[in-house]
């Protein structure tokens, strides 16, 4: 997905930090310089009673100090914010993920060819007042497809998109390498940025640090890493989803207790919050809040170091997965808000099919597999991220592995610390972490390539890309990408997902719901997302 192997180690670590590849479900711990000075109120609710001059205050359970560059970021906070600041040629509905015309005037109807033409919306302007032109569109796609520029977005486009061409000031053409209907929904991942701003020296570094100039319904007014980011309605916006709130203040509160406190009680300082702990759902409902979940790809995964024996043996990897009491994990740690994984894809994905290998709880089978592999007296230290719900799940894994004679210790750490160790190629046995590719869409081809591929970062961490099974898998994945028949493509994806399940190198243990809470007396039109963040483009004051 991302080829960063040719970068020196310090630049590779910088790339990881800025793209959010260290885990979009956790806050990045690095501190970036603020793009504005002076303290900003974190209690700006405008009275909280609605009205055209009121400010909406939101609490986001993820850090706002990751990269804000739309071509680079996987940060939950900045991706959610960028949906309000920027537009793609097409954007997608946050729940259905169906594409709709954003900067473009219409969605292409003929998806059988290798050319899509787009006319830009008349009168569309950036937040600095300059018009949006075809040159801006080409500028962004040129950056994404530049072989000498490493961006996260490149992995979403380079396999199928050849180039973007300017036809005239308001018309662009995308040239595809082969027909690829799934590309329509991916266009939301190419946010159109002003060439006159981001072509200047040092501008991409400024984008990473939080500078944001788009054409969307809200413009950024202040950005304070590790504190908050503020927005105001853009008066010049003439697109399909106009702003309903004059001002917005998004607080970053990673710790669960203060995040919940901020939206609790009669004097609550915010009207909406994401990443609600399961233990607080009933408390918030009793206080009059609406609390809803979104079920999707959010998952706890285990990743094995296949260069560390005995994890090079597929039987050992399978044994450890069969040993986990996933039913107990869902009941105790997730309080029923999840289900054991039956495929790499969650059950709601359009391409889902139960894998041929499903790791139902079977400790006796686990013992037999370990015996067949000649493994006894195994001791495992689980290197885990310290995301709260992941930490809640870890005791079940330890108890399950201890029960089959595998002495297990738990080592939860800051996410950056976990992945820095792997980036430095330090030895490890097993990593437990959180992932949610649904941030980028529901497209199974995209989801699988995000995790698996010959140059994929995750495969470098797992030390598996050179395995003969892996090399054949990657060929099968590329063939599926190019398959023109939708039903055949779906079947091909399902078949190679079976291989991914059987090999159990990087694979989900459980898929869980993400919970959002809001005050229905003040807000309407809220829809809970199955991925981190919030989307307020169709919300309004109650």
């Amino acid at each position: 997905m991302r080829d960063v192997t040719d970068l020196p180690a310090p630049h590779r670590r910088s790339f990881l930090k800025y793209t959010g590849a260290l885990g979009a479900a956790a806050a990045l711990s690095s501190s970036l310089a603020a793009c504005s000075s002076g303290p900003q109120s974190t209690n700006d609710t405008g009275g909280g009673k609605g009205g055209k001059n009121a400010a909406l205050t939101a609490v986001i359970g993820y850090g706002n100090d990751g990269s804000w560059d739309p071509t680079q970021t996987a940060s939950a906070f900045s991706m959610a914010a960028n949906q309000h600041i920027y537009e793609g040629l097409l954007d997608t509905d946050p729940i259905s993920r169906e594409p709709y015309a954003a900067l473009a005037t219409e969605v292409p109807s003929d998806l059988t060819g290798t050319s899509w033409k787009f006319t830009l919306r008349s009168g569309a302007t950036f937040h600095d007042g300059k018009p949006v032109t075809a040159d801006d569109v080409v500028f962004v796609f040129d950056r994404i497809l530049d072989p000498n520029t490493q961006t996260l977005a490149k992995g979403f486009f380079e396999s199928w998109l050849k180039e973007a061409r300017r036809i005239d000031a308001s018309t662009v053409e995308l040239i595809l390498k082969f027909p690829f209907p799934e590309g329509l929904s991916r266009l939301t991942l190419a946010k159109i940025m002003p060439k006159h701003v981001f072509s200047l020296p040092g501008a991409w570094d400024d984008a990473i640090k939080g500078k944001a100039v788009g054409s969307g319904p809200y413009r950024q007014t202040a950005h304070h890493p590790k504190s908050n980011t503020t927005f105001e309605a853009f008066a010049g916006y003439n697109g399909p989803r106009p702003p309903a709130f004059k001002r917005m203040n998004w607080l970053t509160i990673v710790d669960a207790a203060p995040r919940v406190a901020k939206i609790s009680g009669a004097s609550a300082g915010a009207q909406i919050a994401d990443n609600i702990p399961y233990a607080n759902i009933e408390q918030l409902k009793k206080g009059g809040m609406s609390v809803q979940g979104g079920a999707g790809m959010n998952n706890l995964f285990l990743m094995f170091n296949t260069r560390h024996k005995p994890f090079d043996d597929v039987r050992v990897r399978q044994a450890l997965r069969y040993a986990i009491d996933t039913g107990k994990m869902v009941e105790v740690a997730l309080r029923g808000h999840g289900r054991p994984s039956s495929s790499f894809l969650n059950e709601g994905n359009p391409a889902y099919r139960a894998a041929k290998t499903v790791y139902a709880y079977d400790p006796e089978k686990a013992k037999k597999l370990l015996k067949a592999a000649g493994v006894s007296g195994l001791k495992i230290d689980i290197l885990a991220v310290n995301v709260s719900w992941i930490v809640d799940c870890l005791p079940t894994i330890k108890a399950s592995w201890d029960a089959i004679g595998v002495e297990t210790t738990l080592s939860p750490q800051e996410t950056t610390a976990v992945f820095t160790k792997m980036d430095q190629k330090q030895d490890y046995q097993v990593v437990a972490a959180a992932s949610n590719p649904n941030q980028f869409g529901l497209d199974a081809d995209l989801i699988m390539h995000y995790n698996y591929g010959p140059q994929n970062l995750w495969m470098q961490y797992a030390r598996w890309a050179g395995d003969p099974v892996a090399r054949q898998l990657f060929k099968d994945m590329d063939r599926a990408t190019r398959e023109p028949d939708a039903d055949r493509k779906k079947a091909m994806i399902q078949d190679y997902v079976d291989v991914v399940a059987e090999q159990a190198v990087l694979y989900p243990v459980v898929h869980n719901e993400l919970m959002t809470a809001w005050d229905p007396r003040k807000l309407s039109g809220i829809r809970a997302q199955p991925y981190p963040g919030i989307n307020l483009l169709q919300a309004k004051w109650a």
Side-chain angles (χ1 to χ4, degrees):
M1 195 76 198
R2 288 158 290 176
D3 183 4
V4 297
T5 55
D6 59 337
L7 298 176
H11 292 91
R12 196 162 62 243
R13 288 192 292 274
S14 176
F15 177 83
L16 289 172
K17 176 176 72 175
Y18 290 145
T19 61
L22 303 185
L28 296 177
S29 63
S30 60
S31 178
L32 298 174
C35 292
S36 55
S37 59
Q40 177 71 26
S41 168
T42 58
N43 292 286
D44 182 10
T45 64
K49 300 201 180 283
K52 67 177 183 178
N53 294 318
L56 177 140
T57 298
V59 184
I60 309 298
Y62 309 93
N64 73 338
D65 56 346
S67 172
W68 282 67
D69 173 1
T71 71
Q72 291 273 45
T73 192
S75 160
F77 191 111
S78 59
M79 283 193 72
N82 283 344
Q83 294 295 336
H84 299 73
I85 297 170
Y86 291 98
E87 297 177 281
L89 289 170
L90 306 180
D91 282 325
T92 59
D93 183 86
I95 306 302
S96 72
R97 312 310 284 269
E98 286 295 317
Y100 64 89
L103 270 174
T105 56
E106 62 182 359
V107 179
S109 57
D110 182 5
L111 305 182
T112 62
T114 56
S115 171
W116 298 338
K117 290 184 180 179
F118 297 93
T119 299
L120 301 182
R121 188 176 72 235
S122 177
T125 63
F126 290 111
H127 297 154
D128 61 3
K130 300 290 180 65
V132 181
T133 71
D135 290 330
D136 300 301
V137 177
V138 173
F139 168 71
V140 169
F141 280 103
D142 280 353
R143 171 173 167 79
I144 290 172
L145 297 175
D146 183 357
N148 298 315
T149 301
Q150 301 302 331
T151 64
L152 179 62
K154 179 182 291 184
F156 303 141
F157 291 94
E158 67 175 344
S159 66
W160 58 274
L161 182 62
K162 182 178 180 181
E163 64 176 312
R165 295 177 182 172
R166 179 188 189 274
I167 295 179
D168 57 39
S170 61
T171 312
V172 292
E173 181 180 18
L174 298 185
I175 308 298
L176 283 59
K177 296 177 181 177
F178 48 86
F180 191 68
E182 296 88 345
L184 281 186
S185 61
R186 296 192 191 186
L187 293 182
T188 190
L189 301 171
K191 298 302 185 187
I192 306 307
M193 306 170 73
K195 180 179 180 180
H196 66 273
V197 173
F198 291 103
S199 63
L200 298 176
W204 289 114
D205 286 337
D206 292 338
I208 287 169
K209 296 174 184 177
K211 183 173 185 176
V213 181
S215 62
Y218 294 93
R219 71 178 189 91
Q220 185 195 84
T221 52
H223 176 57
H224 304 273
K226 297 186 180 294
S227 174
N228 68 308
T229 303
T230 62
F231 315 80
E232 72 176 13
F234 175 41
Y237 179 75
N238 67 347
R241 298 195 173 183
F245 308 104
K246 186 175 180 64
R247 291 172 293 139
M248 297 194 298
N249 185 21
W250 288 21
L251 315 178
T252 170
I253 304 180
V254 177
D255 292 340
R259 185 167 66 253
V260 171
K262 198 71 176 177
I263 59 168
S264 301
S267 59
Q271 298 94 6
I272 184 171
D274 75 343
N275 197 18
I276 298 299
Y278 305 125
N280 296 107
I281 293 174
E282 292 307 315
Q283 164 205 341
L284 290 170
K285 285 183 175 180
K286 289 179 181 177
M289 302 291 284
S290 291
V291 185
Q292 293 184 14
M297 267 294 292
N298 207 65
N299 68 86
L300 159 64
F301 69 84
L302 293 180
M303 178 170 61
F304 291 94
N305 179 359
T306 60
R307 296 273 179 86
H308 188 123
K309 290 184 178 297
F311 309 113
D312 59 332
D313 191 322
V314 65
R315 293 170 296 184
V316 175
R317 300 194 297 265
Q318 290 181 339
L320 293 170
R321 292 186 181 275
Y322 279 118
I324 299 173
D325 189 345
T326 50
K328 179 180 179 181
M329 183 181 289
V330 168
E331 178 185 358
V332 176
L334 304 181
R335 303 195 180 210
H337 294 279
R339 58 182 60 191
S341 299
S342 56
S343 168
F344 196 100
L345 302 170
N346 63 293
E347 295 183 18
N349 188 282
Y352 168 83
R353 180 184 72 192
K356 289 183 178 178
T357 305
V358 176
Y359 295 101
Y361 178 47
D362 193 339
E364 292 306 313
K365 186 170 186 176
K367 292 177 184 178
K368 290 178 181 177
L369 283 166
L370 288 177
K371 184 176 180 180
V375 173
S376 61
L378 182 59
K379 297 181 180 180
I380 296 179
D381 179 53
I382 301 177
L383 183 62
V385 300
N386 64 349
V387 176
S388 58
W389 72 270
I390 296 289
V391 173
D392 291 342
C393 291
L394 292 177
T396 300
I397 300 178
K398 172 177 167 52
S400 298
W401 288 359
D402 285 346
I404 63 166
V406 176
E407 185 178 329
T408 308
T409 57
L410 305 175
S411 297
Q413 302 174 24
E414 290 288 339
T415 300
T416 46
V418 171
F419 286 91
T420 295
K421 288 180 179 179
M422 290 191 291
D423 183 53
Q424 294 173 345
K425 300 188 184 303
Q426 295 183 25
D427 190 35
Y428 76 96
Q429 295 174 292
V430 185
V431 161
S435 179
N436 194 331
N438 280 166
Q439 285 188 129
F440 308 112
L442 299 178
D443 176 359
D445 177 272
L446 181 155
I447 289 169
M448 298 309 299
H449 277 87
Y450 177 73
N451 290 278
Y452 281 84
Q455 303 295 337
N456 182 278
L457 197 60
W458 298 109
M459 292 298 93
Q460 293 174 42
Y461 287 155
R463 281 80 149 164
W464 192 61
D467 187 282
V469 176
R471 289 199 296 267
Q472 183 60 50
L473 169 68
F474 303 150
K475 291 178 182 178
D476 293 342
M477 293 174 72
D478 289 341
R479 278 196 288 268
T481 297
R482 291 176 173 270
E483 172 57 47
D485 182 81
D487 290 338
R488 175 62 181 153
K489 173 179 286 193
K490 180 178 178 180
M492 293 169 72
I493 291 173
Q494 292 170 337
D495 286 345
Y496 76 64
V497 168
D498 285 341
V499 176
V500 169
E502 180 185 38
Q503 291 298 310
V505 173
L506 167 65
Y507 201 72
V509 177
V510 290
H511 290 106
N512 68 311
E513 286 184 284
L514 290 175
M515 311 303 295
T516 302
W518 68 93
D519 189 338
R521 297 160 295 191
K522 298 177 180 178
L523 296 177
S524 65
I526 304 295
R527 294 179 292 168
Q529 296 182 170
Y531 50 96
I534 56 175
N535 187 299
L536 301 172
L537 296 182
Q538 292 181 298
K540 60 184 180 180
W541 292 118

